[in-house]
Amino acid sequence: MNACGLIVEYNPFHNGHVYHIEAAKKTSGADCIVAVMSGNFLQRGEPAIIDKYSRTRAALQSGVDLVIELPYLYAVQNSDIFARGAVSILHEAGVSTICFGSESGEISNFKESYRAIQKNKATYDTELAARLDEGLSFPEANKYAYRAIGASSGIDLTKPNNILGFSYIKAIYEQMLPVDPLTIKRKNNQFHDTTLTGNIASATSIRKQLLSEKNSLSSIQQTIPEGTEEGLQHYQQTAGMWHEWELYFPLLHYRVLTMSEGELREIHGVDEGIEHRIKKFAKEATSMYEWIQLIKTKRYTWTRIQRLFTHILTNTKKRQVASLKQEKTPPYLRILGFTKKGQTFLKSKREDITAPFIFSLKKNAHPLLAADERAVRAYYSVLAPHRRKQLFQQEFSPPIQV
Amino acid sequence: MNACGLIVEYNPFHNGHVYHIEAAKKTSGADCIVAVMSGNFLQRGEPAIIDKYSRTRAALQSGVDLVIELPYLYAVQNSDIFARGAVSILHEAGVSTICFGSESGEISNFKESYRAIQKNKATYDTELAARLDEGLSFPEANKYAYRAIGASSGIDLTKPNNILGFSYIKAIYEQMLPVDPLTIKRKNNQFHDTTLTGNIASATSIRKQLLSEKNSLSSIQQTIPEGTEEGLQHYQQTAGMWHEWELYFPLLHYRVLTMSEGELREIHGVDEGIEHRIKKFAKEATSMYEWIQLIKTKRYTWTRIQRLFTHILTNTKKRQVASLKQEKTPPYLRILGFTKKGQTFLKSKREDITAPFIFSLKKNAHPLLAADERAVRAYYSVLAPHRRKQLFQQEFSPPIQV
């Protein structure tokens, strides 16, 4: 059996994702789709609107055959670390191709950009460092460095999905993995577009709609498959809410106000004195939005601050992330769910896969899994106590089978 | 001017406290009453029902002339450390006597008990250590040690106020302070009595009543002075609540579930492997009551667990408490409020007092004051964001003047 890998967040799973799955099947010629998916916290440092189990179920109902969790310590990171984790897992799971959506839509452009940077690495690195020193954010500095090597014919590295795609290419080539990268052009709406038109909308616009009104499911119905609709409904019934940053403000505010600056500096992502701003503005802020707005600088973008706030919330230390660098291959594959076909695929690959399969949280687990447990605990912390306990039990249930 | 010192919590200030003040004045012959009062968290490891400002105001309206805050790192401790902090502050403030309520009511009995233990220190210490080794709580072990030296004519050291009183005597004698201890017999209800009869009731029973029903102020009206009634009403209006442990469950539960056992062990009061039980039962508990009930052992009494939970909540580390032992005299006196007479008294003593007066929180403050700030932050964390900010501002207001 021949599998194509996707790197996904499904926050929530919508029609654009269905399109991506179908296009990936067509482009790759694969008969099985393997998705590596972030858990309850996402790359841009946000809690997922509904938990990973609900998102897995919806994906399995609409064309994905196997869902593997991307561990928290890879999931809530800049695009390079995120990509390295995701690509390694897909490779370990035995996919032949990885297909990602991009603004460019041309894989040759990605390859060209990669080669251009490799050829002019010294210039690129010098320019990047200089721009970072000026106080620019990484994406901004990267744009200038890219221009400096005159790589005009490649991809536009200011587009969010091109940036991610480029990181996937880098991860594949640098680790010399026998996986073929493919890309498809993203359909319709832009990544951050917040308007809803037609039956394909960005996840951002769908979330915005869902979180803005009561009973707002009906207004986005045309943009999501039935499985997502059921998942959203069911999650709201069992958890009592859909997740968003503001719900975590009381916990995070309490946490920061009882931490010293020294303790803040131990947290992954808290660098260059940003702890002063975090503490200083904690005294003024009465919401997450206000707090991040106050902290924000040219260098510390909204996303970067959200990400470090996620690490504070989950108590993720620099030393835990540092230990990741030792890992050459994934220490395990956490299987969230599969279809019959996905299960058959896994069985067929069993002998080639050295990483053990894991279905639930364990005691004295690998640091990667321990971080996942903390993330799950933090994620459910905003629920009522009995719901918190009940939803956490899912972590010990068998994989979802569709 | 001649001052008598009281060691108080006023949780809340009630008619029994008014009686104590009047009796202390009579017994001591002093013309000024100085109270050292715990801040927002109390000796038994509980949040005060209303904040220290409301309690200070009520006390100043009913006979106390000067209220000085007992720093958190002394306030939430076993009776010996609590007493050492409180007695040192009263001595530094220039009182001639300290008058405490006790079940015994006879100061000679306290002195006799102290001498008996001093005379048989080796036996007492050996017996105490042996009983602690058996797994008894400190108060239990202490009772046996006391019996072992045959000190039958002294005080009954199983009574909570006798225990505290004995700690005051010890603190005065061991530091050889020129302060004369006095005691009065507690009136009416026992410390933990939870029934309400007559116009004197225990603070425990008053709190129980207040927290049990809506609009329950009327049912305890006869047991508190007018100032307390106004204070309780006003606090509920501005804060939106009266404080109790259950309100802190979401914060504490979140905190513990995202901490490692190693991090828990750094917290003051977390010893002897209790961190395993705290973590283990966090997974089951859906309330503070349930959680503490599950953790409790013969050795780890309810009070001891509440106290360590307070330290987790306020992020109070062992190393911060260890640094206390260096302090011979109070590094400052934090004045919460005074009457005209109290102010005159302070002025008259100004030249003898070496510790600076502090009226509000400061940046880069002494570790004692930094711990107080964390405690205040933690205390108000359960309030709505704008109320949290507003009430915290009190920490920068001038002393309350009545």
Side-chain angles (χ1 to χ4, degrees), chain A residues 89-283:
Chain A
I89 286 174
L90 287 175
H91 167 252
E92 181 71 20
V95 305
S96 322
T97 53
I98 288 178
C99 181
F100 56 90
S102 64
E103 290 85 359
S104 154
E106 287 292 337
I107 198 70
S108 58
N109 289 349
F110 282 91
K111 293 180 178 173
E112 200 173 307
S113 295
Y114 180 75
R115 276 191 297 267
I117 291 180
Q118 283 309 102
K119 229 193 320 192
N120 305 284
K121 198 145 178 33
T123 315
Y124 175 84
D125 287 349
T126 312
E127 183 68 17
L128 187 71
R131 297 299 184 164
L132 285 173
D133 267 359
E134 280 174 16
L136 291 191
S137 68
F138 182 83
E140 276 295 304
N142 191 43
K143 189 175 75 186
Y144 284 104
Y146 193 61
R147 272 192 205 148
I149 58 170
S152 56
S153 62
I155 45 166
D156 177 355
L157 272 180
T158 65
K159 303 282 186 204
N161 286 284
N162 283 350
I163 295 174
L164 276 170
F166 186 75
S167 291
Y168 302 149
I169 299 281
K170 241 186 1 187
I172 292 171
Y173 288 175
E174 282 177 3
Q175 297 175 79
M176 294 182 290
L177 302 177
V179 169
D180 204 15
L182 304 169
T183 191
I184 53 161
K185 203 170 165 61
R186 282 174 65 87
K187 219 180 162 177
N188 263 10
N189 287 28
Q190 296 291 319
F191 191 59
H192 294 307
D193 195 346
T194 56
T195 58
L196 277 169
T197 46
N199 65 355
I200 291 194
S202 74
T204 307
S205 60
I206 294 172
R207 285 197 307 278
K208 196 188 162 201
Q209 192 69 17
L210 283 171
L211 298 169
S212 65
E213 317 165 19
K214 282 271 170 217
N215 303 315
S216 46
L217 246 177
S218 59
S219 65
I220 57 130
Q221 228 167 2
Q222 79 282 9
T223 67
I224 53 171
E226 216 174 285
T228 298
E229 194 182 340
E230 282 165 16
L232 282 162
Q233 244 160 2
H234 183 253
Y235 192 81
Q236 201 175 43
Q237 276 155 16
T238 46
M241 62 177 65
W242 290 324
H243 295 250
E244 59 178 319
W245 251 125
E246 289 302 342
L247 297 171
Y248 294 88
F249 178 70
L251 297 179
L252 203 59
H253 199 224
Y254 149 70
R255 183 78 186 98
V256 165
L257 288 173
T258 54
M259 276 172 106
S260 67
E261 291 198 352
E263 286 174 311
L264 264 176
R265 271 193 303 275
E266 290 177 25
I267 299 292
H268 177 54
V270 178
D271 297 300
E272 302 163 22
I274 194 75
E275 66 273 18
H276 307 310
R277 295 180 71 83
I278 296 173
K279 285 288 273 188
K280 181 179 167 194
F281 294 120
K283 291 168 188 166

Side-chain angles (χ1 to χ4, degrees), chain B residues 112-156:
Chain B
E112 200 172 310
S113 295
Y114 180 76
R115 277 191 297 266
I117 291 180
Q118 283 311 100
K119 226 190 324 190
N120 305 283
K121 196 140 181 37
T123 315
Y124 175 83
D125 287 348
T126 312
E127 183 68 16
L128 187 70
R131 297 300 182 163
L132 285 173
D133 267 359
E134 278 174 18
L136 290 191
S137 68
F138 182 84
E140 276 295 303
N142 191 42
K143 189 176 75 184
Y144 284 104
Y146 193 62
R147 272 190 206 150
I149 59 170
S152 55
S153 62
I155 46 166
D156 177 355

Side-chain angles (χ1 to χ4, degrees), chain A residues 249-251 253-255 257-259 263 283-284 286 312-313 315 317 374 377-378 381 385 388-389, chain B residues 249 251 253-255 257-259 263 283-284 286 312-313 315 317 374 377-378 381 385 388-389:
Chain A
F249 178 70
L251 297 179
H253 199 224
Y254 149 70
R255 183 78 186 98
L257 288 173
T258 54
M259 276 172 106
E263 286 174 311
K283 291 168 188 166
E284 296 179 28
T286 57
I312 297 172
L313 185 75
N315 196 18
K317 306 274 172 74
R374 284 201 315 278
R377 292 293 191 185
S381 282
R388 203 180 304 166
K389 197 170 154 180
Chain B
F249 178 70
L251 297 178
H253 199 225
Y254 149 71
R255 182 77 187 100
L257 288 173
T258 54
M259 276 173 105
E263 287 174 310
K283 291 168 187 165
E284 297 179 30
T286 56
I312 297 173
L313 186 75
N315 195 19
K317 305 275 172 73
R374 286 202 312 280
R377 293 292 190 186
S381 282
R388 204 180 301 165
K389 197 170 153 182

Side-chain angles (χ1 to χ4, degrees), chain A residues 323-383:
Chain A
S323 72
L324 268 193
K325 296 190 177 137
Q326 319 295 323
E327 305 285 352
K328 290 266 177 255
T329 55
Y332 60 83
L333 297 180
R334 174 114 190 245
I335 312 293
L336 292 177
F338 39 58
T339 59
K340 280 241 150 56
K341 200 198 278 172
Q343 193 172 19
T344 311
F345 172 75
L346 261 193
K347 276 183 187 155
S348 77
K349 291 286 172 185
R350 185 123 225 179
E351 293 200 352
D352 303 325
I353 299 176
T354 51
F357 297 156
I358 286 187
F359 302 105
S360 64
L361 291 179
K362 283 174 202 287
K363 262 198 160 183
N364 307 317
H366 189 280
L368 265 187
L369 198 61
D372 281 346
E373 172 162 0
R374 284 201 315 278
V376 175
R377 292 293 191 185
Y379 182 76
Y380 290 134
S381 282
V382 291
L383 268 52

